[in-house]
């Protein structure tokens, strides 16, 4: 069996220069995201969402980016889930995208706020009906005795909403917008001398710097 310590990948597909990036980091993100789509990256909108509790203990999980609007990054979840409860107590969070096919990573730090109910409802009702039922059925992050509980709840909800293709949004479900204060673009380079370009919001303006790898 190969040692984990011996697993290595050298990167040489592209480079990144301060002179070549866009002045707005959200526009630069959208450019890279389109390139990830064109390259056929599987689930390019999958992102690691990190939160922190009152004791400073971090938690991280993979969620899906569902939009970039008004220079903010949108995702949806159950407000009563672990991440939802943590974000209500501390709205600071971090997002990370990794697109290995392009040897790229994007890190985002910012503050979350809930989306308005109308926006959340519109997105909820655009989801497949099975996903709508699933959101109603799952007490996300709660301890349950078995999967049977979920399956029984789904059956009950199927009867309750029989004949309805569009379901109302559960009150405990909705979206968040992340307003970024820092966005870093990472491009893999040979010999671990990676390119790192960071945008930091200072007094309402984006400042751009290169970081050592």
């Amino acid at each position: 069996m190969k040692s984990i310590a011996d697993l290595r990948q050298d990167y040489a597909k592209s480079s990144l220069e301060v002179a070549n990036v866009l002045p707005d980091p959200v526009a630069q993100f959208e450019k890279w995201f389109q390139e990830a789509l064109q390259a056929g990256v599987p689930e390019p909108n999958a992102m690691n969402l990190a939160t922190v509790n009152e004791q400073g203990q971090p938690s991280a999980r993979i969620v899906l980016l569902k939009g970039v609007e008004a220079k903010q990054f949108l995702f949806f979840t159950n407000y009563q889930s672990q991440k939802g409860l943590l974000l209500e107590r501390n709205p600071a969070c971090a997002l990370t995208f990794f697109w290995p096919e392009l040897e790229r990573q994007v890190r985002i730090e910012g503050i979350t706020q809930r989306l308005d109910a109308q926006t959340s409802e519109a997105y909820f009702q655009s989801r497949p009906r099975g996903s709508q039922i699933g959101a109603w059925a799952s007490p996300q992050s709660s301890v349950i005795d078995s999967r049977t509980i979920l399956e029984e709840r789904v059956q009950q909800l199927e009867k309750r909403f029989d004949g309805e293709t569009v379901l109302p949004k559960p009150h405990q479900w909705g979206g968040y917008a992340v307003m970024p204060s820092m966005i870093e673009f990472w491009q893999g380079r040979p010999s671990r001398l990676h390119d790192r370009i960071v945008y930091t919001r200072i007094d309402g303006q984006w400042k751009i710097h290169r970081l050592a790898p």
Side-chain angles (χ1 to χ4, degrees), residues 8-173:
R8 292 183 176 85
Q9 177 70 41
D10 209 23
Y11 302 114
K13 286 188 175 181
S14 189
S15 62
L16 189 63
E17 299 291 340
V18 170
N20 297 331
V21 298
L22 298 173
D24 184 287
V26 179
Q28 179 66 34
F29 173 86
E30 292 176 318
K31 179 177 181 291
W32 267 25
F33 189 84
Q34 288 302 314
E35 291 173 2
L37 284 173
Q38 293 165 8
V41 173
E43 291 198 290
N45 60 329
M47 60 185 187
N48 182 292
L49 166 65
T51 54
V52 64
N53 68 13
E54 295 94 331
Q55 290 75 43
Q57 176 65 44
S59 296
R61 73 289 286 162
I62 302 299
V63 300
L64 296 178
L65 178 72
K66 285 300 178 180
V68 181
E69 297 179 8
K71 306 298 184 181
Q72 300 178 95
F73 299 85
L74 311 185
F75 67 93
F76 295 83
T77 189
N78 187 315
Y79 290 138
Q80 295 175 358
S81 66
Q82 182 201 43
K83 56 184 172 295
L85 295 175
L86 289 175
L87 288 172
E88 290 305 301
R89 297 169 189 146
N90 183 349
C93 74
L95 310 174
T96 305
F97 296 83
F98 182 49
W99 301 316
E101 293 81 2
L102 297 176
E103 300 174 352
R104 288 175 173 174
Q105 174 182 264
V106 181
R107 294 195 311 115
I108 300 167
E109 295 177 0
I111 299 295
T112 59
Q113 62 178 5
R114 284 193 187 190
L115 294 175
D116 63 83
Q118 288 182 330
T119 300
S120 292
E121 180 119 26
Y123 173 71
F124 179 81
Q125 294 180 340
S126 75
R127 305 172 85 206
R129 189 174 187 279
S131 297
Q132 295 180 46
I133 290 287
W136 273 95
S138 176
Q140 195 174 123
S141 300
S142 299
V143 175
I144 57 175
D145 291 333
S146 70
R147 185 177 177 83
T148 302
I149 293 173
L150 294 177
E151 293 169 348
E152 290 175 348
R153 293 187 69 166
V154 166
Q155 291 177 0
Q156 293 167 2
L157 289 161
E158 289 285 7
K159 292 179 181 178
R160 175 180 171 184
F161 295 115
D162 184 37
E164 298 182 41
T165 56
V166 177
L167 279 59
K169 181 186 74 66
H171 74 276
Q172 75 274 15
W173 193 97

